[in-house]
Amino acid sequence: MTDTATTTNKAGRRKIIVAAAIGVLVAAIALDTAVVQIGSDADLRQQAFDPDRFGQDAFPDIRDGVIARAPDATTLATALAADKSAAVAEYGTTAGAFPVLPVQFTGVVGEGKSGIFAVTVDGMPEGTGIRVQTGPAINGTELRDISGDIEFGAFTNQIEYQDAGAGINRAMAAQVLADLDRDTLSGKTITVTGAFTMINPKNWLVTPVALEVQ
């Protein structure tokens, strides 16, 4: 065999070896690559965290849970006055430094400021006040924390955890408070179911999950 033929054969073998190696590499990449369909659960997990989507998905279960658990305000106030720890254990959820409690009540709306209205509820102990926040801005993390199921460890960082609470608040406001006429609310009777963080057991700032004007 001539030197030219030998060289040609070697070049051909090299091409075959390179082609085979490329084929193996491509196959390995294909085996290690998951195909993600747009709009699927896997696709959503790969997208950036969307607090509004999270809030819309989470709020219905939160609302139903609060409604199912909420004692009336006078029952809760009496229990807190008798034994705060026992009342929190029976009705509340421990979340951070302060417990979160569900409650429901019917009362007459007083004066409001920045969307927060005092509500007079018959039978409440002397010195215990109830206020309800009606928006447009809803502050606090009561709705995020009340179920006890939404934990920090499920999120990438503290920012996402805070954003989750804000997303739930916005979902609630859109579903519960969008048609509320705050300008004419004072003097009317409302029925509220919601939750509050018990920082001061005699001063409740309730975030609603349901609000009806009578």
Side-chain angles (χ1 to χ4, degrees), residues 150-170:
I150 302 174
E151 299 178 341
F152 174 72
F155 299 87
T156 301
N157 51 44
Q158 182 67 34
I159 294 174
E160 277 194 7
Y161 191 46
Q162 288 297 120
D163 287 348
I168 294 167
N169 288 350
R170 287 192 291 269

Side-chain angles (χ1 to χ4, degrees), residues 32-149:
D32 194 46
T33 301
V35 176
V36 176
Q37 182 178 354
I38 295 174
S40 69
D41 289 342
D43 178 46
L44 294 177
R45 285 195 297 271
Q46 292 184 19
Q47 294 177 12
F49 177 69
D50 184 339
D52 288 309
R53 181 191 295 274
F54 180 87
Q56 291 161 11
D57 291 342
F59 176 66
D61 286 341
I62 293 169
R63 176 198 60 215
D64 294 347
V66 171
I67 291 172
R69 291 170 52 192
D72 67 78
T74 55
T75 298
L76 180 58
T78 300
L80 287 169
D83 188 332
K84 185 170 68 174
S85 296
V88 169
E90 181 174 0
Y91 298 112
T93 301
T94 301
F98 302 101
V100 182
L101 294 162
V103 67
Q104 66 88 18
F105 54 87
T106 297
V108 178
V109 180
E111 294 301 316
K113 182 178 180 181
S114 300
I116 297 175
F117 291 84
V119 182
T120 301
V121 177
D122 288 342
M124 289 293 290
E126 183 71 24
T128 299
I130 298 176
R131 297 176 297 153
V132 60
Q133 58 173 336
T134 67
I138 301 295
N139 299 312
T141 60
E142 290 81 11
L143 301 188
R144 184 196 68 188
D145 297 337
I146 185 64
S147 70
D149 296 331

Side-chain angles (χ1 to χ4, degrees), residues 1 5-21:
M1 181 178 296
T6 300
T7 300
T8 300
N9 288 337
K10 288 181 179 179
R13 285 196 295 273
R14 281 197 297 271
K15 290 179 179 179
I16 292 172
I17 292 170
V18 170

Side-chain angles (χ1 to χ4, degrees), residues 18-35:
V18 170
I22 292 172
V24 170
L25 179 62
V26 170
I29 292 173
L31 289 173
D32 194 46
T33 301
V35 176

